[in-house]
Amino acid sequence: MHHSEIRNSSTLFTTLETGTGEPVLFLHGFPDNHKTFAPIMEVIGKKGFQCIAPVMRGYEPSTISHAHKLHVVDLVDDILGWMEDRLWDRVHLVGHNWGAVIAYAAGMYYPNRIKSITSLGVPLLRTYQDSFLWAPQQTIHSWYVLLFQIPFLAELTIRTNDFALVDFLWKDWSPGYTPNQDHLAEIKANFQNPGILSSALSYYRNLNDLFTESGRESILGILDSKITVPTQILYGLSDGCFHKNLFEHLLDESDFPCGFRKIGFDHAGHFLHWEKRDEVTKLILEWLQKNK
């Protein structure tokens, strides 16, 4: 495992890398960092795949962008830029949390460039409007999205008491799991860097942006598209971020015409790649090998 850099145009992104072979991009979410995938990458990198986990845009000082550059389509453009930088024609994507949202979008917009998708902990959001019928509890689960819309107050709340809200989200989203404290300490330390926390929150603040072209494209593209890329969705049945009914009832195989499987894990929540690491690693590797 080594650190390196990957470029999109003039912007450099820090990465973790290991292995050789077909490229697999591992995309992290919030509140997290790219090291969240390191143990999984160690295993898969020994099986004929080049595993790369970039620090997502806005999560390091060199990539802080204006809020209008943090729409889903802009983040998908980062993937295309990384592919151009490394001369990759096609890649596999593994995404957790926001990384899963971006992986879905890449499969929608550029299916000829994506070999396979593995989503961890996030349903396909094009059916999210039906969640109030199948999972009315989701309204409660999503309280943090409303908080994150409020500039200054959200940042202040997250920073209070040594970033206690970060600890709370990990425990609330993965009930019964004790997070790795060293990993959480690295996440908190990164959020202390000027501009990083606000930049990360811009992912949420641009969710319903209809005032910019990239915002409208992000929303309408996800609502109107199917994913014509082989896709597997792994989720925890005790997920406190997305209710299990969103996976059980709202995922339609017709939205994934080129291959689809979903697997739920008992006694696991949103951070299932930590809670069920061996099982998740095995399933990711199976999917990658099946879609080589």
Side-chain angles (χ1 to χ4, degrees):
M1 187 80 65
H2 63 278
H3 293 276
S4 64
E5 292 179 334
I6 196 168
R7 183 184 296 272
N8 175 15
S9 186
S10 61
T11 305
L12 287 176
F13 297 76
T14 303
T15 74
L16 275 181
E17 295 195 31
T18 189
T20 59
E22 292 191 7
V24 185
L25 285 170
F26 288 78
L27 312 175
H28 72 83
F30 178 94
D32 210 348
N33 64 34
H34 65 314
K35 295 180 182 179
T36 195
F37 298 112
I40 292 175
M41 292 167 58
E42 287 278 16
V43 175
I44 293 176
K46 297 175 182 177
K47 301 294 184 178
F49 295 94
Q50 181 184 6
C51 300
I52 307 96
V55 177
M56 298 300 289
R57 179 175 290 275
Y59 280 78
E60 58 185 333
S62 61
T63 67
I64 291 177
S65 301
H66 296 296
H68 69 271
K69 291 298 293 179
L70 280 167
H71 296 96
V72 170
V73 294
D74 301 308
L75 299 161
V76 171
D77 284 344
D78 282 338
I79 293 174
L80 297 181
W82 300 334
M83 294 174 67
E84 182 177 351
D85 179 52
R86 296 295 185 90
L87 304 179
W88 296 326
D89 181 55
R90 301 176 72 198
V91 298
H92 301 272
L93 300 178
V94 177
H96 174 252
N97 190 265
W98 269 104
V101 175
I102 297 161
Y104 285 142
M108 293 173 182
Y109 296 132
Y110 301 102
N112 60 319
R113 306 298 305 276
I114 311 301
K115 278 197 168 185
S116 75
I117 293 170
T118 295
S119 164
L120 303 174
V122 178
L124 183 61
L125 295 179
R126 74 186 298 266
T127 57
Y128 192 74
Q129 63 271 21
D130 295 329
S131 65
F132 299 104
L133 172 63
W134 288 106
Q137 307 93 324
Q138 187 60 40
T139 303
I140 299 174
H141 285 351
S142 298
W143 63 268
Y144 63 93
V145 177
L146 297 177
L147 170 64
F148 292 170
Q149 304 305 309
I150 308 172
F152 305 111
L153 177 60
E155 283 87 341
L156 177 62
T157 302
I158 294 171
R159 289 193 175 99
T160 297
N161 194 19
D162 188 28
F163 292 85
L165 187 59
V166 172
D167 297 296
F168 176 81
L169 290 176
W170 273 71
K171 292 179 180 180
D172 184 55
W173 292 354
S174 283
Y177 173 67
T178 300
N180 181 292
Q181 293 304 305
D182 290 338
H183 186 66
L184 292 189
E186 285 197 0
I187 295 168
K188 295 175 185 180
N190 188 42
F191 285 156
Q192 292 182 32
N193 291 316
I196 296 294
L197 180 56
S198 294
S199 188
L201 291 175
S202 291
Y203 284 57
Y204 293 94
R205 291 170 179 167
N206 288 334
L207 269 173
N208 298 306
D209 177 18
L210 292 173
F211 298 101
T212 64
E213 182 177 351
S214 59
R216 291 189 295 272
E217 185 179 350
S218 297
I219 296 169
L220 296 176
I222 290 175
L223 290 177
D224 292 342
S225 300
K226 296 181 183 293
I227 300 181
T228 55
V229 173
T231 301
Q232 74 166 339
I233 301 176
L234 310 179
Y235 60 98
L237 295 175
S238 301
D239 195 322
C241 182
F242 288 101
H243 192 273
K244 65 180 181 179
N245 283 0
L246 299 182
F247 301 94
E248 300 292 322
H249 297 291
L250 297 185
L251 290 176
D252 191 334
E253 288 192 34
S254 66
D255 292 328
F256 306 89
C258 291
F260 172 67
R261 77 174 179 184
K262 64 177 180 180
I263 299 174
F265 289 84
D266 287 322
H267 311 297
H270 192 61
F271 296 96
L272 68 159
H273 58 298
W274 285 83
E275 302 167 82
K276 301 288 184 179
R277 181 174 292 158
D278 291 344
E279 297 95 318
V280 167
T281 301
K282 179 181 178 182
L283 290 170
I284 293 174
L285 183 57
E286 285 179 1
W287 198 247
L288 293 172
Q289 291 173 333
K290 178 179 180 180
N291 294 288
K292 289 185 75 169

